[in-house]
Amino acid sequence: MGSEHQQLHVAFFPFMAHGHMIPTFDLAKLFAGRDVKTTIITTPMNAHAFAKTNVPMNLEIFTFPAQEAGLPENCENLEQAMSIGLLPAFIKASAMLCDQLERFLERSQPNCLVADMFFPWATESARKFNVPRIVFHGTGFLSLCAKEVERLYRPFKNVSSDDEVVVLPRLPHEVKLTRTQVSEEEWSDDDNEFNKRSARIKESEVESYGVIVNSFYELEPEFADFFRNELGRRAWNVGPVSLCNRKTEDKARRGKQANVNEQECLIWLDSKKCASVVYVCFGSTAHYAPAQLHEIANALEASGHNFVWAVGNVDKGSDGEELLPQGFEQRTEGRGLIIRGWAPQVLILEHEAVGAFMTHCGWNSTLEGISAGVPMVTWPVFAEQFYNEKLVTQILKIRVEVGAKKWSRTAMIEHKISGDAIEKALKEIMEGEKAEEMRNKARQLKEMAWKAVEEGGSSYNDLTALISELRNYKA
């Protein structure tokens, strides 16, 4: 097992978006820590996201055909493309990586390809070279199950209005949604490119070797069983993958370069009482109009609670309006820490001063909040985020909903939430007996998450089983 020619070789091909690259990087670290040779495939402008690690792994750089697809030069990341309204061109460019992937597979002959869900063509490419392709969705079991029963049964197709509440069929728990909270592909039969692409993603998953899920069995056991037994998918839960980062510097290095000195951030948190701080962050893709950010600021100020707010790296909206109310930072000085740009999220969430997390419910953030034992104020925007909200609200009950109603393809908040509603949610998550009950439940989930990734835990054992299976496949 120790010599190079005997070593199992797994290649990882993440979609070029930070929400996909970060968990894939963590996943690759887990494999590398089990004496597996790992290679991460990426593009020149995204290579920095994988550079800082103490774990030995290889980087394979593909040329990204930005200009051939109609993108500006050096536009190699989903967040960049969405900010300028060129998502279809970005998807087109991503598909043009197929030839480079096949040349890599032919030359390197890895024993397995773990490719992102947004590369549906990777299943066929891997099959050409007898390489098993495993799909990595980067989300949990509930959302995978929900999207599949929606595809099979179309429960939203004949509802009387967008506001009608629908209970998704066949699922092991009651999951309620309205049509406005899911993407159009989940209920429309239109023969458009988005629907075609969703169908290709599902077909490639069915035809693949299996699915790696960044979750742990104890978090959503009935949905893990439903996905495997009722839907017939081969799946391995190996998460939370973020817990592979144990050292402070590893947590601080995840993703982009943080726009705040992590030591200064920790010193500020050290000065606050236990569970007294609200952490506010809406991920790398969601966009909030200045008017909505003003409502959030007013709510934070009126709530009286300490807060850390990662507001993004721009100071003004497209119309020149200031993102934050005039004088807000001065009035909240001492109890508010504003981070412009990327924040060391795991470090912040794991600090004992943090008592709640206002989040867009991206799966990485949701799982990082659960792993830190922090209850949440939920504000989903797009992708699978409304499903994730239902997990923490309807099933785990460690949340307060802010009241988001509308799914957005552009990740732009279109349904304005008032400052009064936000302030009410903040007080409910931070004050009183109900808040303490949610906090206790969140701490229990944290213990389960950490046990799952330790030797003998459910995620540790699933990873062991997968690696063993791949070794046998190789043999």
Side-chain angles (χ1 to χ4, degrees):
M1 195 166 65
S3 64
E4 181 71 17
H5 70 279
Q6 293 177 317
Q7 197 175 23
L8 190 72
H9 181 197
V10 178
F12 297 85
F13 191 12
F15 191 62
M16 290 73 66
H18 283 91
H20 293 243
M21 294 189 296
I22 292 171
T24 304
F25 191 26
D26 288 340
L27 182 62
K29 291 178 188 176
L30 288 174
F31 275 81
R34 302 287 194 96
D35 193 36
V36 175
K37 177 183 176 182
T38 58
T39 299
I40 294 182
I41 301 166
T42 190
T43 66
M45 300 302 292
N46 292 301
H48 65 90
F50 309 102
K52 297 177 181 177
T53 177
N54 297 321
V55 180
M57 59 179 66
N58 305 303
L59 272 186
E60 180 73 21
I61 306 298
F62 286 2
T63 302
F64 191 72
Q67 291 177 295
E68 294 92 322
L71 292 165
E73 186 179 3
N74 295 333
C75 181
E76 299 183 9
N77 192 279
L78 176 70
E79 290 91 343
Q80 292 173 285
M82 290 186 73
S83 69
I84 54 177
L86 292 177
L87 176 59
F90 187 79
I91 298 300
K92 178 181 177 182
S94 301
M96 293 167 69
L97 296 171
C98 179
D99 288 343
Q100 291 182 76
L101 176 65
E102 293 187 3
R103 289 196 296 271
F104 165 77
L105 293 173
E106 184 176 26
R107 181 180 74 252
S108 300
Q109 288 294 310
N111 304 109
C112 176
L113 172 68
V114 178
D116 195 282
M117 61 174 284
F118 285 133
F119 300 130
W121 39 268
T123 298
E124 178 59 33
S125 293
R127 186 184 294 124
K128 292 180 182 179
F129 304 97
N130 193 32
V131 175
R133 183 266 172 115
I134 295 177
V135 180
F136 185 50
H137 286 277
T139 187
F141 281 108
L142 185 152
S143 64
L144 293 174
C145 295
K147 288 177 74 69
E148 182 64 350
V149 299
E150 286 172 4
R151 184 183 74 89
L152 292 171
Y153 301 106
R154 295 295 194 191
F156 296 101
K157 188 175 181 181
N158 297 314
V159 297
S160 58
S161 72
D162 283 345
D163 297 325
E164 182 180 338
V165 176
V166 172
V167 177
L168 300 188
R170 286 192 61 197
L171 294 179
H173 279 278
E174 186 176 77
V175 177
K176 299 178 180 178
L177 290 156
T178 63
R179 189 161 66 184
T180 59
Q181 293 176 314
V182 298
S183 66
E184 191 175 322
E185 296 95 86
E186 309 307 326
W187 53 267
S188 168
D189 290 327
D190 290 347
D191 191 27
N192 58 41
E193 189 55 39
F194 282 101
N195 284 359
K196 290 178 182 176
R197 187 159 162 267
S198 294
R200 286 196 295 272
I201 288 171
K202 187 52 61 179
E203 289 166 6
S204 76
E205 176 193 294
V206 173
E207 295 169 1
S208 73
Y209 189 76
V211 179
I212 287 178
V213 183
N214 181 19
S215 186
F216 58 102
Y217 183 78
E218 295 79 6
L219 182 67
E220 38 184 352
E222 295 90 348
F223 289 97
D225 291 341
F226 185 88
F227 189 68
R228 290 164 169 147
N229 301 330
E230 300 297 321
L231 299 180
R233 302 290 193 271
R234 304 185 74 231
W236 299 268
N237 49 262
V238 301
V241 297
S242 63
L243 295 183
C244 73
N245 300 286
R246 299 299 174 92
K247 297 179 180 179
T248 298
E249 56 266 32
D250 292 334
K251 297 170 186 177
R253 289 170 177 171
R254 292 180 78 238
K256 304 178 189 178
Q257 179 67 41
N259 288 52
V260 64
N261 182 291
E262 60 265 20
Q263 290 305 319
E264 292 179 11
C265 183
L266 293 176
I267 290 170
W268 187 90
L269 287 168
D270 286 342
S271 71
K272 305 304 176 188
K273 293 180 180 178
C274 181
S276 69
V277 177
V278 179
Y279 173 55
V280 183
C281 182
F282 301 111
S284 57
T285 308
H287 300 286
Y288 292 66
Q292 183 64 83
L293 294 176
H294 283 219
E295 296 293 326
I296 297 170
N298 292 336
L300 288 169
E301 184 174 354
S303 75
H305 291 290
N306 300 315
F307 62 88
V308 176
W309 185 7
V311 297
N313 54 11
V314 294
D315 292 317
K316 296 185 179 181
S318 57
D319 58 358
E321 185 178 356
E322 297 287 341
L323 290 189
L324 300 180
Q326 188 173 9
F328 168 72
E329 292 184 69
Q330 290 74 27
R331 291 191 301 273
T332 58
E333 187 175 1
R335 68 176 182 87
L337 177 63
I338 302 293
I339 299 176
R340 285 179 166 79
W342 194 262
Q345 180 159 292
V346 170
L347 274 182
I348 294 170
L349 286 171
E350 289 184 354
H351 197 283
E352 66 178 7
V354 175
F357 179 19
M358 184 183 289
T359 172
H360 65 309
C361 298
W363 185 244
N364 293 327
S365 292
T366 300
L367 206 53
E368 287 161 14
I370 288 169
S371 301
V374 178
M376 304 173 207
V377 174
T378 58
W379 194 332
V381 184
F382 81 127
E384 87 295 346
Q385 293 162 12
F386 278 93
Y387 305 117
N388 300 338
E389 179 185 54
K390 300 311 172 188
L391 176 67
V392 296
T393 59
Q394 296 178 7
I395 297 168
L396 300 179
K397 303 187 188 306
I398 56 166
R399 79 347 164 203
V400 175
E401 296 181 43
V402 82
K405 302 292 185 186
K406 189 171 176 59
W407 187 93
S408 168
R409 188 181 303 284
T410 62
M412 169 60 79
I413 289 293
E414 298 177 11
H415 174 75
K416 186 177 177 182
I417 307 294
S418 72
D420 289 343
I422 301 166
E423 182 187 352
K424 180 183 176 183
L426 289 171
K427 289 187 173 180
E428 189 175 344
I429 202 79
M430 292 293 286
E431 303 171 12
E433 290 184 11
K434 184 179 178 182
E436 192 57 34
E437 288 174 8
M438 286 187 281
R439 196 161 290 120
N440 289 334
K441 179 65 182 295
R443 289 176 184 136
Q444 293 170 12
L445 291 170
K446 172 185 176 179
E447 291 179 11
M448 293 180 191
W450 284 81
K451 286 181 180 178
V453 300
E454 298 291 349
E455 187 169 356
S458 58
S459 293
Y460 185 97
N461 290 343
D462 257 24
L463 181 58
T464 299
L466 174 56
I467 290 173
S468 176
E469 192 170 323
L470 292 175
R471 291 192 196 283
N472 291 332
Y473 186 96
K474 172 188 174 184

